[in-house]
Amino acid sequence: GAVVSQHPSRVICKSGTSVKIECRSLDFQATTMFWYRQFPKKSLMLMATSNEGSKATYEQGVEKDKFLINHASLTLSTLTVTSAHPEDSSFYICSARANLGSGRAYEQYFGPGTRLTVT
Amino acid sequence: DAKTTQPPSMDCAEGRAANLPCNHSTISGNEYVYWYRQIHSQGPQYIIHGLKNNETNEMASLIITEDRKSSTLILPHATLRDTAVYYCIVKSGGGADGLTFGKGTHLIIQP
């Protein structure tokens, strides 16, 4: 259980175009999803927190108008990189927060990641 | 800033137990210790978490010291597929915050 998928796994786009990445929780409902970015040989950095039915909360330094997040249902969040530039090339990873029941801590389950290359 | 300290890398022979240490001396009473690992070019994988008691599941065991200032993740019989970066993270269990990843420990299992 607790499987998270991402689509696409890899995408190459031209500079100036927009790219949408989907994150789905397959066997559980997630009121909260998170988006991370990882540059080569670096650790994951949290970009934003996505809450179902409300606006996303962005980390300091992350442009909300460039990285549009929509969490329209309890199983789907999307990240759209608008007007992509080569410096946006990175590994984008989502996670979904699972409520395992009363008295238990929440766990986050991660998707497999999306490799974005902007040419 | 990450609130944990881990060695940057470790080697372990295949079939032996891998013991990965983590220091979290500033952990507060409501914070859990979580362990994740990331195999190259994949998303992180949840391993285990605990509050103060030792925990065991099908993947690993987590030993937390009595003062909760440090912990050890134990992979009982390491295989080559366990080669990955292992992250020790502390956060409150009920919080709605994302995870703060440090640099982790790159565990290399040697054949």
Side-chain angles (χ1 to χ4, degrees), chain B residues 14-87:
Chain B
E14 187 178 17
R16 305 296 293 267
N19 297 280
L20 291 89
C22 180
N23 286 325
H24 31 79
S25 58
T26 60
I27 192 170
S28 58
N30 67 341
E31 288 184 316
Y32 287 73
V33 180
Y34 290 82
W35 283 84
Y36 285 80
R37 72 180 182 184
Q38 186 178 27
I39 295 169
H40 182 62
S41 294
Q42 297 183 23
Q45 177 187 22
Y46 166 80
I47 301 174
I48 199 167
H49 75 277
L51 184 61
K52 48 186 173 182
N53 296 324
N54 297 337
E55 302 287 344
T56 295
N57 63 21
E58 64 277 5
M59 288 184 69
S61 294
L62 174 59
I63 308 298
I64 302 174
T65 57
E66 192 169 343
D67 63 7
R68 302 212 318 127
K69 293 185 176 182
S70 66
S71 61
T72 301
L73 177 74
I74 301 173
L75 307 179
H77 304 288
T79 70
L80 297 178
R81 288 178 295 180
D82 292 322
T83 293
V85 178
Y86 287 75
Y87 296 99

